[in-house]
Amino acid sequence: MNSYVSSSESGSFERDMDYLPDRITRGGRRPSDGPVVGEPWPVEPGRYCLVAAPACPWASRSLVVRKLLGLEDVLPLATPGPVHDERSWNFDEQPGGIDPVLGIHRLQEAYLARDPAYDKGITVPAMVDIPSGKVVTNDFPWITHDLFFEWSEHHRSDAPDLWPDHLRDEMEEVMERVFTDVNNGVYSCGFAGSQEAYEEAYDTLWSAMDWLEERLTTRRYLMGDEITEADVRLFTTLVRFDAVYHSHFKCNRSKLVELPALWGYARDLFQQPAFGETVDFEQIKRHYYVVQDDLNPTGIVPTGPDLKGWWTPHHRDQLAKDLTDRTNVRRAG
């Protein structure tokens, strides 16, 4: 399951954020921030498997961060297919229907190995302890946070600083709005249970999209000249926008390709390997249009949109140069 979702009495969408909050930390130390249940798990190359379906935007965050930081050789990957039933994500598309790293058919097996009575969402991404076969955590915001802070000894030498200290407070504010109004906002539109709830969610989403369009008109990335975790989080929604959210979730005021700054920004990120190489548009479309049969009862998967535009020049690198030139002029004056 992607996540448990529900609608309130007013028809507004509510996401269940009750995840397994264990943490994988350097030396198995107890973290000073965020959640931990029981004893934390120690970072060990090759011990854990990241289970992340390319179809899922929350899982896609971890795929991008794993590749940005160069963790491919120390953190094995299991990729469930895009279509699942009410029980679990599965590995039907792997040879024999079994994941070669974990040796399981359904991700549910790893959750039940941890707790035979587990009855919450079988979600991705998930970190699984390979020796025991037990899921460690599916708390997606903390998975990418810890891949940066706790796995730093295993990063590639030129890995980006995804959490710059001097931008941390502002970045947290930006990420909070991106999550609430955009990442989750498209779901609030798609799964609204009343016209009033839908229209409120729609207005909130597009207010945030207009804010982002303005912000990205004068800066290359959300926080300036360098990619941060904030960009990873926004990208996974933008890359799905025209293919899914515009029509399937009724977020149809504008297409991404009609928003100059956001469209250029999305292409800029997509054309960088850590982003574009983790995107599978066919899996994305199959997941939403087949699994969410309450929104698409025919199960028909759209053929479009035309994807050629993703590879067109974006010229976003010029924004960083222009900003540097303006800064130098001000200092000289």
Side-chain angles (χ1 to χ4, degrees):
M1 286 166 282
N2 202 24
S3 159
Y4 282 150
V5 297
S6 62
S7 291
S8 67
E9 291 184 3
S10 67
S12 60
F13 165 84
E14 296 178 356
R15 179 175 298 279
D16 184 352
M17 295 290 286
D18 185 15
Y19 298 106
L20 295 169
D22 284 11
R23 304 273 294 279
I24 300 172
T25 63
R26 187 185 302 109
R29 64 179 178 84
R30 184 165 293 277
S32 59
D33 58 353
V36 66
V37 171
E39 294 301 316
W41 303 63
V43 169
E44 294 181 17
R47 175 174 174 176
Y48 305 97
C49 179
L50 171 63
V51 184
C56 170
W58 316 105
S60 291
R61 292 183 181 187
S62 60
L63 292 174
V64 173
V65 169
R66 174 178 176 267
K67 197 171 184 67
L68 277 172
L69 300 178
L71 293 172
E72 296 97 322
D73 291 339
V74 299
L75 181 60
L77 177 66
T79 53
V83 177
H84 60 72
D85 58 22
E86 69 281 356
R87 289 176 292 175
S88 179
W89 294 87
N90 60 63
F91 299 98
D92 284 349
E93 300 193 2
Q94 297 287 350
I98 302 294
D99 176 72
V101 177
L102 297 173
I104 59 177
H105 173 57
R106 292 182 178 277
L107 179 57
Q108 183 184 45
E109 296 173 50
Y111 281 79
L112 295 179
R114 172 176 170 137
D115 178 4
Y118 185 83
D119 61 356
K120 294 183 288 187
I122 309 296
T123 66
V124 291
M127 295 284 273
V128 176
D129 178 48
I130 297 173
S132 67
K134 298 178 180 179
V135 65
V136 176
T137 181
N138 61 341
D139 199 342
F140 66 90
W142 287 100
I143 287 176
T144 53
H145 173 280
D146 289 346
L147 288 179
F148 179 76
F149 286 102
E150 304 297 336
W151 292 71
S152 58
E153 293 178 4
H154 307 287
H155 293 178
R156 59 182 173 85
S157 59
D158 60 344
D161 182 358
L162 297 180
W163 295 80
D165 286 342
H166 68 289
L167 296 173
R168 185 68 181 270
D169 290 344
E170 182 187 1
M171 194 171 101
E172 292 282 7
E173 293 177 2
V174 169
M175 291 193 301
E176 176 63 25
R177 186 170 185 187
V178 166
F179 171 73
T180 303
D181 296 351
V182 181
N183 300 146
N184 206 49
V186 293
Y187 286 83
S188 296
C189 292
F191 288 102
S194 70
Q195 185 69 34
E196 181 180 6
Y198 162 71
E199 291 179 2
E200 181 178 351
Y202 179 95
D203 289 343
T204 298
L205 167 68
W206 283 108
S207 176
M209 292 288 278
D210 289 340
W211 165 69
L212 289 165
E213 177 72 10
E214 181 178 0
R215 184 179 183 93
L216 290 165
T217 297
T218 56
R219 64 185 80 196
R220 184 173 183 181
Y221 303 117
L222 281 174
M223 305 309 302
D225 296 343
E226 303 296 332
I227 290 170
T228 66
E229 171 87 6
D231 298 298
V232 176
R233 296 183 178 195
L234 177 57
F235 173 79
T236 59
T237 294
L238 295 184
V239 80
R240 289 162 172 76
F241 200 89
D242 286 1
V244 176
Y245 303 142
H246 180 269
S247 57
H248 187 58
F249 280 176
K250 307 179 185 71
C251 302
N252 61 350
R253 193 198 76 179
S254 305
K255 295 178 180 178
L256 179 65
V257 297
E258 297 167 346
L259 304 168
L262 277 165
W263 175 224
Y265 164 82
R267 300 200 317 278
D268 185 358
L269 293 174
F270 179 83
Q271 291 172 26
Q272 301 181 44
F275 291 85
E277 291 178 5
T278 62
V279 175
D280 187 321
F281 284 107
E282 291 307 311
Q283 288 205 25
I284 288 168
K285 290 192 295 183
R286 284 175 59 200
H287 170 68
Y288 285 95
Y289 287 103
V290 174
V291 173
Q292 295 171 357
D293 53 6
D294 50 340
L295 300 183
N296 185 42
T298 66
I300 295 172
V301 179
T303 301
D306 188 342
L307 303 175
K308 292 194 294 293
W310 282 99
W311 287 269
T312 58
H314 53 77
H315 306 298
R316 296 284 298 179
D317 48 335
Q318 185 63 36
L319 282 175
K321 180 180 182 300
D322 291 345
L323 180 60
T324 300
D325 291 344
R326 290 196 299 270
T327 301
N328 290 337
V329 168
R330 285 197 299 270
R331 288 174 177 169

